[in-house]
Amino acid sequence: MPLSRVVILSFIAIITMVNPLAVIPSFVALTGDASRRARNSVAFVAGVACIVVLTTFLLAGNYVFKFFGITVPAFQIMGGVIFLTNAMRTLVDDERRGFDIGGERRMQDSDKEKAEIDPSSIAIVPIAVPMLSGPGAITSVMVLVNLYPGIEAKIAVLVSIVATGAVSYLVLLAADPISRVIGSRGRLVFAKIMSLLLGAIGIQFIINGVKPVMLEIMKAG
């Protein structure tokens, strides 16, 4: 597969799970009383932290698989099921403002209280983890790292991770104007479009995982 296609597919899979647009309401609420400079700092640290977390799992993915004895098809199927489930949940759920693409609440009251005390303290937790680089995004990277085992392909996935972090930073940087322009309805439409793509990717991952298993069963028979 051409590396450009790997980058595009990886970027779509990761950015859909990171879904920075869904973080905007929480980001605005958490940094509402902070200065513009503080908000910019929070957005930058959150973007960098997201890249660091996902890159860590990109580099350690193979070791995790070997340690637990997990096969690539098994994780492809599981990853595909997670992608498809998350996509279906988004497509049938109209209320998105308080939850992420995995159905978990984006923000807790305690987080808001913490932000009022020190806005920079929430850049890594909860904005970077788990809002941006949550279980869904980590699963995406774990699937991709074994779907594309070559060094060049891993570099392509890394490029996608960096691009995702950069996009997340820019989205959070422009959180206030974006929130006013697109509104809650615009975020909902965008989330559903991205979920359609995510669901299709999930089904393809399931097919890719089931295919070698079925071949093994046929050979054994």
Side-chain angles (χ1 to χ4, degrees), residues 119-171:
S120 62
S121 66
I122 47 87
I124 297 179
V125 178
I127 293 179
V129 182
M131 290 185 183
L132 293 175
S133 51
I138 292 172
T139 300
S140 299
V141 173
M142 294 287 284
V143 170
L144 292 169
V145 75
N146 284 277
L147 187 62
Y148 308 116
I151 298 298
E152 293 182 349
K154 282 186 172 60
I155 294 176
V157 176
L158 178 60
V159 171
S160 300
I161 292 174
V162 174
T164 299
V167 170
S168 299
Y169 164 64
L170 294 176
V171 169

Side-chain angles (χ1 to χ4, degrees), residues 17 82 86 89-90 96 99-106 136:
M17 297 305 293
I82 292 175
N86 290 337
R89 182 182 290 115
T90 302
R96 294 274 304 157
F99 298 86
D100 66 9
I101 206 166
E104 298 176 354
R105 184 165 294 278
R106 283 281 182 182

